[in-house]
Amino acid sequence: MTGSAWQRFSARRLDRSRLVLLTGGLGPTEDDLTREVVAEVLGRPLQEIPEIRERIEQRFARLGRPLPQNNLRQATVPEGGVWSPNKQGTAPGLWLETRARL
């Protein structure tokens, strides 16, 4: 699904539903637009959260692996979002509310 199709789909879901659940894929990929589309649909800028970035950097350092820059996208959260640490990977869980919807 393209970014614009994803955006239209997400906006319709928010208009029709009280709760919308979105899940990510298996790791950060260049074509995963979920975070960006959610931020755009909600009209909220993405903000880098230093603590998430530090957790990602520490994980790669512990593993002795180079940190791909694409992984740092996972340190961004739409403004007003609440994040939850991921003990098994690098992508945090995100919780957002808008228009009295989750």
Side-chain angles (χ1 to χ4, degrees):
M1 187 178 290
T2 66
S4 59
W6 215 138
Q7 185 177 12
R8 288 189 306 274
F9 171 81
S10 298
R12 283 195 310 267
R13 294 290 70 92
L14 280 174
D15 288 339
R16 297 179 183 173
S17 306
R18 291 183 51 151
L19 175 68
V20 176
L21 296 174
L22 302 173
T23 62
L26 298 173
T29 59
E30 295 290 335
D31 62 345
D32 182 356
L33 302 174
T34 307
R35 183 180 316 267
E36 290 81 1
V37 169
V38 167
E40 191 169 332
V41 167
L42 297 179
R44 299 182 187 184
L46 287 169
Q47 300 178 324
E48 184 175 291
I49 307 299
E51 186 177 349
I52 299 174
R53 183 185 178 110
E54 289 171 18
R55 287 172 173 265
I56 293 169
E57 291 171 341
Q58 290 169 359
R59 180 176 176 84
F60 276 86
R62 256 191 334 272
L63 296 172
R65 295 174 53 193
L67 172 59
Q69 289 301 302
N70 190 47
N71 280 76
L72 294 177
R73 289 174 55 207
Q74 296 174 320
T76 61
V77 173
E79 183 179 74
V82 177
W83 66 278
S84 174
N86 180 347
K87 295 180 183 175
Q88 302 302 316
T90 54
L94 301 177
W95 178 270
L96 298 136
E97 295 186 32
T98 186
R99 295 180 278 170
R101 291 178 167 86
L102 306 176

